[in-house]
Amino acid sequence: MEPVQGESKRDCWTVTFGNAYNQEERVVCAGYDNGDIKLFDLKTMSLRWETNIKNGVCSLEFDRKDVNMNKLVATSLEGKFHVFDMRTQHPTKGFASVSEKAQKSTIWQVRHLPQNRDIFMTSGGAGSLHLWKYEYPAQRLKKDSEGAEMGVAGSVSLLQNVTLSTQPISSLDWSPDKKGLCVCGAFDQTVRVLIVTKLNKV
């Protein structure tokens, strides 16, 4: 998948699969150095949606890959992340989103908790981890003045944060089996295994 002839080629920094709720449906979402986010439909081999978050996209992840598209988190070079509600696509405005300035440094990675897809962790360039929770709005759907359906973004709240290193934490993953167990890698050449407690109370 590459730009059509005549279009400038940008560096692609991150990709993620999603919408794999049956044997045929698949999408790939790609983030680029100039802030572009492009959603490709693999079934029709076409560009389904695109937007720009005005900053290099470091990490993308759907809250779950094997369900109808629900939420997508995009992290950026300058400490901001965006949560897109992928359930309803407006013909011109695309997907509703909420953004949060998490920190001043790069957000290298985002990972959703496998046991609760409304909770996710971001890892930052200042050596910190931030745990977030997404809250859905009272209504996820509304209609514009012309009767077209459009999504409504929810809100994001910070549950906890911790600084583990003086160097960027560039990699992060959750255990699919043990709730709260996670591992991260940093530029200080250290792999850390962590346990996040009280996740059943949030």
Side-chain angles (χ1 to χ4, degrees), residues 1 14 16 20 29 38 49-50 57 73 81 85 94 100 102-103 110-111 118 120 123 131 151 154 175 178 192 194 199:
M1 293 178 180
T14 179
T16 187
C29 196
K38 295 178 187 284
W49 167 75
E50 61 181 328
V57 184
V73 177
F81 68 83
D85 187 318
E100 186 80 26
Q103 54 203 61
V110 59
R111 286 288 177 263
D118 296 331
F120 59 92
S123 68
L131 188 69
S175 166
K178 175 71 174 172
R192 293 173 174 85
L194 311 165
L199 286 170

Side-chain angles (χ1 to χ4, degrees), residues 11 14 42 65 75 106-107 133 155-156 158 192:
D11 289 341
T14 179
L42 295 186
K65 296 177 173 66
T75 72
T106 299
I107 305 179
K133 184 176 184 184
S155 59
V156 177
L158 179 65
R192 293 173 174 85

